[in-house]
Amino acid sequence: MSISNLSAVLYKKGDLRLVDCPIKDPGPGEVQIAVQRVGICGSDVKYWKEGAIGHFVVTKPLLLGHEISGVISKVGEGVTHLKIGDRVAVDPHITCRVCEFCKTGRYNMCPKVYFLATPPDDGALARYFVHAADFTFKLPDNVSFEEGACVEPLSVGLHGCRRAGVTLGQKVLVTGAGPIGLCAMLSAKALGASAVCMTDIDASRLEFAKKCGAIHTFLVTREDKEEDVAAKLADLMGAMPDRTIECSGAQFAVNLAVHATKPGGQVIIIGHGPTSVSFPVVATVAKEIEIKGSFRYVNTWPTMIEMISCGKIDVKPLITHRFRLEQTLDAFEMARSGQGVKVMINCGQ
Ligand code: 572
Ligand code: ZN
């Protein structure tokens, strides 16, 4: 009897189907995972609705999903740190491990990377998939499958905070209160930020951010001037923020970030919408602001799993909707509607 491997495959823009796919066996250094939970990311929705993000274009059927937890169902040759039955979370990278970036601890820069659910590389929104064992991490008993799947978006936030060098007693501004902004806020607090303020153009997202732990929130309107908002933020936070983590991709937020940040401070850009945005070069120079990019994450799973396990990061409030794998299309419609924050799919049987 063959076991079914129900899988969410995007055939082309707008054409997402549940189909049965072959189950692969793990090769050397690989594990087969019985997927338990998959969170829907904005990029999954964008590939579905627009068929592309930048140069990454869906030209052949693509299995979606890169926020994964599961149970080890088979172990390939040479794998010693995992066994059948282990509960795991998955870092969606598979890298070459030998280039200068892999060898210097920046595997997120590997030019030969395979990254789940990024064309042409398949994801894991299915019953089973096979992954590199060294990018698969055991979950402690007190970390749920849902929390395990959330390690991925949390990692984006943690990496941004690490790039910013967020540390004890700092004030941190996070622009954009979507899932990644919320994850950056949770990490900034866990790293010891004394005040974290979130901005957004949507009042309901800020209300939600407060419930998730944002200390301050500030509603930005289209009529606002960046310098005026910057002054109000300094008032609200008691001083200018030492670090700003930009998670919205909006032109306004990039300008605001530079104006709001303390002289000598840093602006970290995670979010990007348009390919190019302008930035206030005079203020950047005059305040010696350092602007840095932050791309995905590197070496964040062990830290984030530990932080969830010890209770210093509580990601559960971010999960707003739950669906079964069979209801994937409804789950994607919900994610696209913007009503929820983190939509979670249960792939277990
Ligand atoms: O969770 C990781 C992640 N990264 C995203 C988007 C969604 N989820 N990124 C934004 C898009 N870039 S990309 O380089 N690309 C389409 C591969 O423009 C990757 C990071
Ligand atoms: Zn993502």
mmCIF file of all heavy atoms in Angstrom, residues 36-38 40 125 146 319-335 342-348:
data_model
loop_
_atom_site.group_PDB
_atom_site.id
_atom_site.type_symbol
_atom_site.label_atom_id
_atom_site.label_comp_id
_atom_site.label_asym_id
_atom_site.label_seq_id
_atom_site.Cartn_x
_atom_site.Cartn_y
_atom_site.Cartn_z
ATOM 1 N N GLN A 36 4.341 18.447 10.416
ATOM 2 C CA GLN A 36 3.238 18.648 11.372
ATOM 3 C C GLN A 36 2.575 20.012 11.194
ATOM 4 O O GLN A 36 1.379 20.106 11.081
ATOM 5 C CB GLN A 36 3.750 18.482 12.809
ATOM 6 C CG GLN A 36 4.203 17.063 13.106
ATOM 7 C CD GLN A 36 3.095 16.039 12.930
ATOM 8 O OE1 GLN A 36 1.987 16.232 13.410
ATOM 9 N NE2 GLN A 36 3.383 14.952 12.222
ATOM 10 N N ARG A 37 3.359 21.086 11.206
ATOM 11 C CA ARG A 37 2.775 22.423 11.038
ATOM 12 C C ARG A 37 3.597 23.216 10.026
ATOM 13 O O ARG A 37 4.830 23.143 10.020
ATOM 14 C CB ARG A 37 2.791 23.211 12.353
ATOM 15 C CG ARG A 37 1.954 22.614 13.474
ATOM 16 C CD ARG A 37 0.455 22.655 13.194
ATOM 17 N NE ARG A 37 -0.278 22.193 14.371
ATOM 18 C CZ ARG A 37 -0.460 20.905 14.704
ATOM 19 N NH1 ARG A 37 0.052 19.946 13.945
ATOM 20 N NH2 ARG A 37 -1.148 20.595 15.785
ATOM 21 N N VAL A 38 2.871 23.991 9.205
ATOM 22 C CA VAL A 38 3.518 24.914 8.259
ATOM 23 C C VAL A 38 2.832 26.267 8.400
ATOM 24 O O VAL A 38 1.603 26.361 8.246
ATOM 25 C CB VAL A 38 3.408 24.406 6.797
ATOM 26 C CG1 VAL A 38 4.041 25.407 5.837
ATOM 27 C CG2 VAL A 38 4.072 23.038 6.656
ATOM 28 N N ILE A 40 2.082 30.044 7.003
ATOM 29 C CA ILE A 40 2.075 30.694 5.683
ATOM 30 C C ILE A 40 2.815 32.019 5.796
ATOM 31 O O ILE A 40 2.540 32.830 6.683
ATOM 32 C CB ILE A 40 0.640 30.937 5.169
ATOM 33 C CG1 ILE A 40 -0.111 29.604 5.073
ATOM 34 C CG2 ILE A 40 0.670 31.628 3.808
ATOM 35 C CD1 ILE A 40 -1.540 29.745 4.567
ATOM 36 N N LEU A 125 5.102 22.198 2.189
ATOM 37 C CA LEU A 125 3.691 22.164 2.593
ATOM 38 C C LEU A 125 3.083 20.870 2.042
ATOM 39 O O LEU A 125 2.449 20.827 0.988
ATOM 40 C CB LEU A 125 2.974 23.423 2.075
ATOM 41 C CG LEU A 125 1.493 23.630 2.423
ATOM 42 C CD1 LEU A 125 1.175 23.263 3.855
ATOM 43 C CD2 LEU A 125 1.093 25.061 2.147
ATOM 44 N N GLU A 146 3.530 24.145 16.650
ATOM 45 C CA GLU A 146 3.217 25.491 16.140
ATOM 46 C C GLU A 146 4.365 26.451 16.447
ATOM 47 O O GLU A 146 4.797 27.225 15.587
ATOM 48 C CB GLU A 146 1.921 26.018 16.769
ATOM 49 C CG GLU A 146 0.689 25.312 16.237
ATOM 50 C CD GLU A 146 -0.611 25.995 16.623
ATOM 51 O OE1 GLU A 146 -0.592 26.847 17.543
ATOM 52 O OE2 GLU A 146 -1.642 25.665 16.014
ATOM 53 N N ILE A 319 -0.225 33.555 16.449
ATOM 54 C CA ILE A 319 -0.953 32.576 15.619
ATOM 55 C C ILE A 319 -2.445 32.862 15.732
ATOM 56 O O ILE A 319 -3.053 32.687 16.793
ATOM 57 C CB ILE A 319 -0.626 31.131 16.069
ATOM 58 C CG1 ILE A 319 0.886 30.910 16.015
ATOM 59 C CG2 ILE A 319 -1.364 30.115 15.187
ATOM 60 C CD1 ILE A 319 1.362 29.698 16.786
ATOM 61 N N THR A 320 -3.027 33.331 14.629
ATOM 62 C CA THR A 320 -4.422 33.783 14.683
ATOM 63 C C THR A 320 -5.387 32.808 14.016
ATOM 64 O O THR A 320 -6.587 32.848 14.296
ATOM 65 C CB THR A 320 -4.564 35.152 13.997
ATOM 66 O OG1 THR A 320 -3.972 35.063 12.694
ATOM 67 C CG2 THR A 320 -3.891 36.237 14.812
ATOM 68 N N HIS A 321 -4.897 31.980 13.084
ATOM 69 C CA HIS A 321 -5.810 31.089 12.352
ATOM 70 C C HIS A 321 -5.162 29.735 12.140
ATOM 71 O O HIS A 321 -3.951 29.647 11.929
ATOM 72 C CB HIS A 321 -6.184 31.699 11.001
ATOM 73 C CG HIS A 321 -6.983 32.949 11.124
ATOM 74 N ND1 HIS A 321 -6.404 34.183 11.297
ATOM 75 C CD2 HIS A 321 -8.336 33.148 11.128
ATOM 76 C CE1 HIS A 321 -7.358 35.098 11.404
ATOM 77 N NE2 HIS A 321 -8.535 34.507 11.302
ATOM 78 N N ARG A 322 -6.009 28.706 12.175
ATOM 79 C CA ARG A 322 -5.525 27.334 12.012
ATOM 80 C C ARG A 322 -6.371 26.604 10.980
ATOM 81 O O ARG A 322 -7.604 26.699 11.014
ATOM 82 C CB ARG A 322 -5.592 26.589 13.354
ATOM 83 C CG ARG A 322 -4.622 27.135 14.378
ATOM 84 C CD ARG A 322 -4.861 26.564 15.755
ATOM 85 N NE ARG A 322 -3.826 27.000 16.677
ATOM 86 C CZ ARG A 322 -3.865 28.112 17.384
ATOM 87 N NH1 ARG A 322 -4.899 28.937 17.271
ATOM 88 N NH2 ARG A 322 -2.869 28.435 18.190
ATOM 89 N N PHE A 323 -5.721 25.876 10.087
ATOM 90 C CA PHE A 323 -6.406 25.087 9.050
ATOM 91 C C PHE A 323 -5.724 23.728 8.943
ATOM 92 O O PHE A 323 -4.574 23.570 9.360
ATOM 93 C CB PHE A 323 -6.309 25.800 7.689
ATOM 94 C CG PHE A 323 -7.062 27.107 7.622
ATOM 95 C CD1 PHE A 323 -6.468 28.288 8.046
ATOM 96 C CD2 PHE A 323 -8.364 27.141 7.144
ATOM 97 C CE1 PHE A 323 -7.160 29.499 8.003
ATOM 98 C CE2 PHE A 323 -9.067 28.342 7.081
ATOM 99 C CZ PHE A 323 -8.458 29.527 7.511
ATOM 100 N N ARG A 324 -6.453 22.770 8.325
ATOM 101 C CA ARG A 324 -5.830 21.486 8.015
ATOM 102 C C ARG A 324 -5.262 21.536 6.597
ATOM 103 O O ARG A 324 -5.674 22.375 5.790
ATOM 104 C CB ARG A 324 -6.859 20.354 8.149
ATOM 105 C CG ARG A 324 -7.374 20.177 9.586
ATOM 106 C CD ARG A 324 -7.931 18.784 9.796
ATOM 107 N NE ARG A 324 -6.909 17.756 9.585
ATOM 108 C CZ ARG A 324 -6.003 17.384 10.504
ATOM 109 N NH1 ARG A 324 -5.995 17.931 11.696
ATOM 110 N NH2 ARG A 324 -5.125 16.452 10.206
ATOM 111 N N LEU A 325 -4.337 20.629 6.304
ATOM 112 C CA LEU A 325 -3.707 20.621 4.972
ATOM 113 C C LEU A 325 -4.760 20.588 3.858
ATOM 114 O O LEU A 325 -4.622 21.254 2.834
ATOM 115 C CB LEU A 325 -2.737 19.432 4.866
ATOM 116 C CG LEU A 325 -1.967 19.278 3.549
ATOM 117 C CD1 LEU A 325 -1.141 20.515 3.223
ATOM 118 C CD2 LEU A 325 -1.058 18.036 3.602
ATOM 119 N N GLU A 326 -5.825 19.813 4.088
ATOM 120 C CA GLU A 326 -6.902 19.704 3.087
ATOM 121 C C GLU A 326 -7.565 21.052 2.829
ATOM 122 O O GLU A 326 -8.225 21.250 1.807
ATOM 123 C CB GLU A 326 -7.977 18.703 3.551
ATOM 124 C CG GLU A 326 -7.515 17.257 3.650
ATOM 125 C CD GLU A 326 -6.793 16.913 4.953
ATOM 126 O OE1 GLU A 326 -6.426 17.834 5.712
ATOM 127 O OE2 GLU A 326 -6.614 15.716 5.219
ATOM 128 N N GLN A 327 -7.445 21.990 3.790
ATOM 129 C CA GLN A 327 -8.087 23.314 3.663
ATOM 130 C C GLN A 327 -7.084 24.384 3.230
ATOM 131 O O GLN A 327 -7.275 25.569 3.498
ATOM 132 C CB GLN A 327 -8.660 23.738 5.022
ATOM 133 C CG GLN A 327 -9.633 22.753 5.657
ATOM 134 C CD GLN A 327 -9.914 23.143 7.103
ATOM 135 O OE1 GLN A 327 -8.999 23.242 7.919
ATOM 136 N NE2 GLN A 327 -11.167 23.376 7.423
ATOM 137 N N THR A 328 -6.011 23.955 2.556
ATOM 138 C CA THR A 328 -4.937 24.896 2.219
ATOM 139 C C THR A 328 -5.431 26.126 1.462
ATOM 140 O O THR A 328 -4.987 27.250 1.740
ATOM 141 C CB THR A 328 -3.846 24.161 1.408
ATOM 142 O OG1 THR A 328 -3.189 23.247 2.293
ATOM 143 C CG2 THR A 328 -2.832 25.118 0.827
ATOM 144 N N LEU A 329 -6.365 25.923 0.525
ATOM 145 C CA LEU A 329 -6.820 27.093 -0.254
ATOM 146 C C LEU A 329 -7.533 28.106 0.634
ATOM 147 O O LEU A 329 -7.318 29.310 0.491
ATOM 148 C CB LEU A 329 -7.690 26.641 -1.421
ATOM 149 C CG LEU A 329 -6.803 26.243 -2.607
ATOM 150 C CD1 LEU A 329 -7.479 25.253 -3.517
ATOM 151 C CD2 LEU A 329 -6.342 27.472 -3.376
ATOM 152 N N ASP A 330 -8.341 27.604 1.580
ATOM 153 C CA ASP A 330 -8.997 28.517 2.530
ATOM 154 C C ASP A 330 -7.951 29.239 3.378
ATOM 155 O O ASP A 330 -8.068 30.429 3.669
ATOM 156 C CB ASP A 330 -9.929 27.742 3.477
ATOM 157 C CG ASP A 330 -11.080 27.096 2.732
ATOM 158 O OD1 ASP A 330 -11.433 27.600 1.660
ATOM 159 O OD2 ASP A 330 -11.603 26.072 3.224
ATOM 160 N N ALA A 331 -6.916 28.497 3.767
ATOM 161 C CA ALA A 331 -5.845 29.098 4.582
ATOM 162 C C ALA A 331 -5.153 30.227 3.810
ATOM 163 O O ALA A 331 -4.892 31.297 4.363
ATOM 164 C CB ALA A 331 -4.829 28.020 4.970
ATOM 165 N N PHE A 332 -4.889 29.985 2.530
ATOM 166 C CA PHE A 332 -4.236 31.023 1.718
ATOM 167 C C PHE A 332 -5.154 32.230 1.514
ATOM 168 O O PHE A 332 -4.689 33.372 1.525
ATOM 169 C CB PHE A 332 -3.755 30.438 0.379
ATOM 170 C CG PHE A 332 -2.355 29.901 0.456
ATOM 171 C CD1 PHE A 332 -2.085 28.734 1.165
ATOM 172 C CD2 PHE A 332 -1.290 30.570 -0.138
ATOM 173 C CE1 PHE A 332 -0.788 28.238 1.283
ATOM 174 C CE2 PHE A 332 0.010 30.090 -0.031
ATOM 175 C CZ PHE A 332 0.268 28.924 0.670
ATOM 176 N N GLU A 333 -6.453 31.956 1.332
ATOM 177 C CA GLU A 333 -7.398 33.091 1.195
ATOM 178 C C GLU A 333 -7.385 33.926 2.479
ATOM 179 O O GLU A 333 -7.393 35.154 2.422
ATOM 180 C CB GLU A 333 -8.833 32.590 0.925
ATOM 181 C CG GLU A 333 -9.039 31.995 -0.448
ATOM 182 C CD GLU A 333 -8.968 33.015 -1.605
ATOM 183 O OE1 GLU A 333 -8.821 34.227 -1.334
ATOM 184 O OE2 GLU A 333 -9.032 32.582 -2.770
ATOM 185 N N MET A 334 -7.347 33.239 3.620
ATOM 186 C CA MET A 334 -7.309 33.958 4.904
ATOM 187 C C MET A 334 -6.023 34.781 5.025
ATOM 188 O O MET A 334 -6.053 35.947 5.409
ATOM 189 C CB MET A 334 -7.413 32.949 6.060
ATOM 190 C CG MET A 334 -7.284 33.547 7.440
ATOM 191 S SD MET A 334 -8.429 34.885 7.778
ATOM 192 C CE MET A 334 -9.960 33.970 7.907
ATOM 193 N N ALA A 335 -4.882 34.158 4.674
ATOM 194 C CA ALA A 335 -3.609 34.876 4.766
ATOM 195 C C ALA A 335 -3.633 36.101 3.849
ATOM 196 O O ALA A 335 -3.180 37.186 4.222
ATOM 197 C CB ALA A 335 -2.457 33.942 4.392
ATOM 198 N N LYS A 342 -0.521 35.259 11.800
ATOM 199 C CA LYS A 342 0.128 34.013 11.360
ATOM 200 C C LYS A 342 -0.940 32.942 11.167
ATOM 201 O O LYS A 342 -1.638 32.563 12.103
ATOM 202 C CB LYS A 342 1.183 33.581 12.386
ATOM 203 C CG LYS A 342 2.019 32.394 11.983
ATOM 204 C CD LYS A 342 2.624 32.483 10.578
ATOM 205 C CE LYS A 342 3.670 33.549 10.381
ATOM 206 N NZ LYS A 342 4.075 33.685 8.957
ATOM 207 N N VAL A 343 -1.041 32.488 9.925
ATOM 208 C CA VAL A 343 -1.971 31.416 9.576
ATOM 209 C C VAL A 343 -1.181 30.118 9.541
ATOM 210 O O VAL A 343 -0.154 30.020 8.871
ATOM 211 C CB VAL A 343 -2.635 31.701 8.204
ATOM 212 C CG1 VAL A 343 -3.531 30.531 7.794
ATOM 213 C CG2 VAL A 343 -3.415 33.009 8.231
ATOM 214 N N MET A 344 -1.679 29.132 10.289
ATOM 215 C CA MET A 344 -0.936 27.890 10.504
ATOM 216 C C MET A 344 -1.695 26.720 9.875
ATOM 217 O O MET A 344 -2.918 26.614 10.056
ATOM 218 C CB MET A 344 -0.827 27.710 12.028
ATOM 219 C CG MET A 344 0.149 26.730 12.543
ATOM 220 S SD MET A 344 1.851 26.958 12.038
ATOM 221 C CE MET A 344 2.408 28.341 12.971
ATOM 222 N N ILE A 345 -0.980 25.880 9.153
ATOM 223 C CA ILE A 345 -1.612 24.705 8.536
ATOM 224 C C ILE A 345 -1.122 23.444 9.246
ATOM 225 O O ILE A 345 0.090 23.264 9.435
ATOM 226 C CB ILE A 345 -1.297 24.647 7.024
ATOM 227 C CG1 ILE A 345 -1.863 25.889 6.324
ATOM 228 C CG2 ILE A 345 -1.885 23.366 6.400
ATOM 229 C CD1 ILE A 345 -1.657 25.954 4.827
ATOM 230 N N ASN A 346 -2.072 22.604 9.626
ATOM 231 C CA ASN A 346 -1.767 21.330 10.292
ATOM 232 C C ASN A 346 -1.656 20.251 9.208
ATOM 233 O O ASN A 346 -2.647 19.921 8.563
ATOM 234 C CB ASN A 346 -2.898 21.012 11.282
ATOM 235 C CG ASN A 346 -2.654 19.727 12.037
ATOM 236 O OD1 ASN A 346 -1.789 18.934 11.662
ATOM 237 N ND2 ASN A 346 -3.400 19.517 13.103
ATOM 238 N N CYS A 347 -0.451 19.745 9.018
ATOM 239 C CA CYS A 347 -0.209 18.742 7.962
ATOM 240 C C CYS A 347 -0.210 17.326 8.517
ATOM 241 O O CYS A 347 0.091 16.378 7.798
ATOM 242 C CB CYS A 347 1.137 19.024 7.274
ATOM 243 S SG CYS A 347 1.178 20.614 6.475
ATOM 244 N N GLY A 348 -0.469 17.187 9.800
ATOM 245 C CA GLY A 348 -0.475 15.854 10.423
ATOM 246 C C GLY A 348 -1.692 15.057 9.995
ATOM 247 O O GLY A 348 -2.669 15.615 9.479
#
